[in-house]
Structures are given as C-alpha cells and as structure tokens.
Amino acid sequence: MDNWFKLKERGTSVSTEIIAGITTFFTMVYIVIVNPGILSSTGMDFNGVFIATVLASIVATLIMGLWSNYPIVLAPGMGLNAFFAYSVVGGYGVSWQVALGAVFIAGLLFIILSLTSFRYMLLDAIPSSLKHAITAGIGLFITTVGLQNSGIIADSESNLITLGNLAEPMTYLTIIGLIITVVLMAYNVKGYLFIGMVITAILAWIMGLFQMPETIVSMPQGITTTAFQLDLAGVFSNGLYTIIFTFLLITLFDTTGTMLGVAEQAGLLKDGKFPRSRGALLADAVGTTSGALLGTSPTSAYIESSTGVAAGGRTGLTAVTVSVLLALTLFFTPIVSVISGIPAITSPALIIVGYFMINVINKINWKDLEEAFPAFLIIILTPLTHSIATGIGVGFIFYPVLKLLRGKGKDVHPIFYIFAVLFFIQLVFLDH
C-alpha cells in the first residue's frame, strides 16, 4: 500500500488517510441527498438518480485516487445539476433523456480534451474575469433556487419576486435550519452542511412535516429507470450545441480550478505545475460520461476535499476511503428519499453553497470596464433569466465586442471569437 500511494514519501499514514477520508465524506455527502432532489424535479426517478449519483461519484473518485493518487473527491457538481434541471429541461423544454444525451456528448469531448494539450488552450482562451463571473453567477442561481424552493421568496404579480410567507412551517423551518448551519460553519464544525441537514430533519420530524419511512435500510433498486435512457438523437434534433459546450466549459475549468487549489493546499504542486493532470482530468471526464449513462448530471471536483487535506490527507487513499463510505450510502435510499423531499432540509445547503461560489467576485478587476462589464452581465443575467447558458452567452458576446470597439481585438484569444459567434447564433436564431 505504501508503494502504491507513496505514504512515506508524502509524510502520511494509513490511519491519517482514513481519518481524512471520513472528514471529506461528511462534508460532501449532502450531495447524495440534494442532487437526486434537484434532478427528480425533471421527472427522473429519485431512486435511480440517487444510485447514479453515488456510482458516478465512486467511479470518478476511485480513478482519481488509484490512478492520479490525489486526495480529491468528485461527484455531480452543484450548479451543473441546477443547469441540467432548471435551464436545460425546464428552460428549453427538452426531456431529461435528451439532457442526459448532452451530458454524455460533453463527457466524450472532455475525455478527448483530457488526452490532448488542447485543454490548456481552451482554458487559456477564457479570461479569468469571466471564469470568476460564471462561478459567481451560478452561485446566485443556486441561492435563488434554494430561496424559491423553501418559500422565502416567491413570484409576484407586481414584481419579479417578493418576500414569501415566512409564517409557513416549511419556510420558517428553512430559516431555522439556515441559522443552525451558519452557526456550525462559524464555529468551523467539520461536516456542518450535513450536520445542519440532520438537525433540521429532526426538527421537521418533531413538527410533523414528514414521517419516517417504514425501513431505514434497503437493497439498492431503481437504477434501471435512469440507466441507459439518454437520447442522443434528441440532442441534435433540438440543436443543443451550446448546451453541450456549456456543460463542457463549466466542468473543465471548475474542475481544474478546484484541483489546483486542493493540490496546492496539500503541497502537491511541483514548480507551480499540476503533476499527473491528465489522469486527474480523465477521472472527471469518465465520471461525467459514466454518470450520463447511469442517469445523473456532470461530475466535478469538490472543494470539500480541502477539509480532508486539512485533516492530513495527502494521497489517493483518502479518495478511496470516501468511495467506500459512499458505497455504504446505497443501502439508505428510504431515508434519503424522504429527507430530500423536504425543502427546509435541502434549501439551506443550496443557499450556503451559493454564498461560497459568489466569494470569487472580489477577484474580478471592477476598475477595468472591458473585463468587468461582461462579467457583470454574466453574474446578473444568470439568476434573472434562470439560465446559466444565457448568462454565459451574453457575457461571451459582449467581451470581444468591447475589446474590438476599444481597438484591443488582438487581446482576445482567437478561439474566444468562435465561442462568441456560437453563442450569438444560439441566442438570436435558436430557441433558448
């Protein structure tokens, strides 16, 4: 085991890696509850998505741990699942089977990119200001979803949205759950999101907002309702080319950014470079592709991996430990399905994840109009249009236009002009 994971070389031990894996698991396990809850809103079977979520996470994380030897965990990404459910299926009006087809194609492209140096060119073509803007815009979008699902904000005839009825039991329990989770977060309690969900679930049960299932443990079943149900032909008949591109784009730089951050924290970068990056990116690409086949949205590296690194995790054994624990959750489908159906339990997690994602807004140079204004459009239009693709598209169009008008067209990467043209065609001439 030491030879495989290089435990001594990285100054760690089996016990330390296992503890780190347990720490990471409790900080990210909320996704096995939240992701099926979000995707089931499209008509997908909850049990099928739950199993697909766990299996895709295990596949990607095992590749990361066993091949690349990094303490990094992958699972269906927050933001990508919201984009899948609320923008692609809800906004474009296509079936979830077609949406899975788009994810699968994006995954195949990701695999190809991971095997070539073109992935670096694609990442370099996108200005950092727009990368940060996309993250922040998705964060606002996720927070909006959490606020709407819980009833804290509601539709209004006179305004776009207004304050909801805070006297509703589900709404004020959401507020209580949010306060509990934020307090846990303020005191640096490991696994605060998951612990907050558990405490809120107990309160919901006491208030009579849900009943415990007859059985807590059961054999996994239902994967056949989502596995291999993707509709590839529907992707092309509906012209979802920019949707494929958006899935690919977000997954690529979100995963790369997270991996670099966690690797740097663990002291695993060499001369500022990311060793074995090909295997690490392939882990996400294979996870996304297999996830689409099984029935879930794209996977992404989880920043929660940093909690395991803080606990001493330095090798892939941390990731393998998380995979084993994820496998055990497969047998708790009854309780997971009940909990995920209570907005007060899942909404605080959405709101807080949005908070973390919008933190990158301070990395944008707001004094540079050419950089800041397209970023502003992405951030504001993503939640207002309820479409991540629309927000990205408008920002990607405005950026080169402003540069050209300012006589700085050469500052824009040639590939970026292709991005702008594709988004312009999609927004102006195609349904969106």
Side-chain angles (χ1 to χ4, degrees):
M1 186 175 291
D2 179 66
N3 291 334
W4 186 275
F5 292 109
K6 297 181 174 58
L7 299 175
K8 290 182 180 179
E9 179 182 323
R10 297 189 183 179
T12 184
S13 64
V14 172
S15 59
T16 299
E17 293 296 302
I18 292 176
I19 291 172
I22 294 172
T23 302
T24 300
F25 172 77
F26 279 110
T27 59
M28 59 77 63
V29 70
Y30 68 89
I31 192 62
V32 305
I33 300 174
V34 176
N35 192 58
I38 290 176
L39 297 194
S40 61
S41 67
T42 67
M44 299 180 74
D45 177 69
F46 179 92
N47 288 352
V49 178
F50 170 65
I51 297 174
T53 298
V54 175
L55 293 180
S57 302
I58 291 173
V59 168
T61 302
L62 281 178
I63 294 174
M64 178 67 73
L66 295 175
W67 185 1
S68 294
N69 197 24
Y70 282 116
I72 299 174
V73 175
L74 300 101
M78 292 295 293
L80 286 164
N81 51 13
F83 177 55
F84 181 104
Y86 305 118
S87 293
V88 181
V89 178
Y92 282 77
V94 300
S95 67
W96 58 265
Q97 291 91 340
V98 171
L100 284 178
V103 173
F104 180 76
I105 295 172
L108 290 180
L109 293 174
F110 196 1
I111 290 175
I112 295 172
L113 286 176
S114 299
L115 295 172
T116 68
S117 59
F118 187 71
R119 64 185 182 275
Y120 298 114
M121 187 185 301
L122 190 62
L123 287 169
D124 292 341
I126 306 168
S128 59
S129 59
L130 300 192
K131 294 177 184 176
H132 298 320
I134 293 171
T135 301
I138 293 173
L140 280 178
F141 180 48
I142 291 175
T143 297
T144 302
V145 170
L147 293 172
Q148 288 179 325
N149 287 348
S150 62
I152 295 177
I153 60 174
D155 294 334
S156 171
E157 293 182 1
S158 56
N159 302 300
L160 289 175
I161 55 175
T162 188
L163 190 66
N165 182 3
L166 303 186
E168 287 288 333
M170 193 66 70
T171 303
Y172 70 71
L173 179 58
T174 301
I175 297 173
I176 293 173
L178 181 61
I179 293 172
I180 291 171
T181 309
V182 170
V183 170
L184 292 171
M185 181 171 62
Y187 280 95
N188 296 315
V189 176
K190 293 177 180 178
Y192 57 86
L193 278 178
F194 180 70
I195 295 173
M197 293 174 76
V198 171
I199 295 174
T200 307
I202 294 172
L203 292 176
W205 176 69
I206 293 173
M207 294 170 60
L209 295 179
F210 81 94
Q211 293 183 342
M212 293 293 291
E214 295 180 0
T215 178
I216 302 297
V217 180
S218 69
M219 291 298 294
Q221 56 183 345
I223 187 63
T224 55
T225 60
T226 58
F228 304 104
Q229 300 296 317
L230 64 166
D231 180 0
L232 295 176
V235 176
F236 300 103
S237 63
N238 285 282
L240 301 184
Y241 305 107
T242 57
I243 296 300
I244 296 171
F245 174 67
T246 302
F247 274 132
L248 175 63
L249 190 68
I250 298 173
T251 306
L252 181 62
F253 73 71
D254 184 46
T255 289
T256 303
T258 300
M259 287 180 182
L260 286 172
V262 175
E264 183 177 17
Q265 179 192 4
L268 299 176
L269 294 184
K270 294 183 178 180
D271 300 323
K273 296 183 179 180
F274 190 38
R276 302 178 305 283
S277 61
R278 175 176 295 180
L281 286 175
L282 267 176
D284 192 17
V286 173
T288 294
T289 308
S290 61
L293 291 173
L294 293 168
T296 188
S297 49
T299 57
S300 181
Y302 263 57
I303 193 62
E304 284 83 355
S305 303
S306 61
T307 61
V309 170
R314 293 295 182 272
T315 75
L317 184 55
T318 294
V320 172
T321 301
V322 175
S323 296
V324 172
L325 294 173
L326 282 171
L328 294 177
T329 65
L330 286 171
F331 301 95
F332 294 90
T333 305
I335 187 64
V336 170
S337 62
V338 170
I339 289 176
S340 68
I342 309 298
I345 299 174
T346 56
S347 292
L350 295 175
I351 295 168
I352 290 172
V353 168
Y355 159 77
F356 280 116
M357 294 182 74
I358 201 173
N359 273 341
V360 299
I361 202 170
N362 61 2
K363 296 181 180 180
I364 299 172
N365 182 8
W366 293 104
K367 294 181 180 180
D368 187 340
L369 180 66
E370 299 154 18
E371 298 286 331
F373 192 74
F376 164 74
L377 290 176
I378 292 174
I379 293 171
I380 198 68
L381 288 177
T382 296
L384 287 182
T385 62
H386 230 57
S387 171
I388 296 171
T390 298
I392 294 175
V394 173
F396 273 41
I397 293 170
F398 260 81
Y399 182 83
V401 169
L402 284 178
K403 287 290 188 181
L404 287 170
L405 292 176
R406 293 277 291 166
K408 301 179 181 179
K410 293 183 179 180
D411 293 345
V412 181
H413 198 290
I415 293 180
F416 198 89
Y417 286 108
I418 298 175
F419 295 165
V421 170
L422 290 175
F423 274 117
F424 180 80
I425 294 172
Q426 176 71 27
L427 293 176
V428 177
F429 298 106
L430 302 176
D431 291 335
H432 57 85

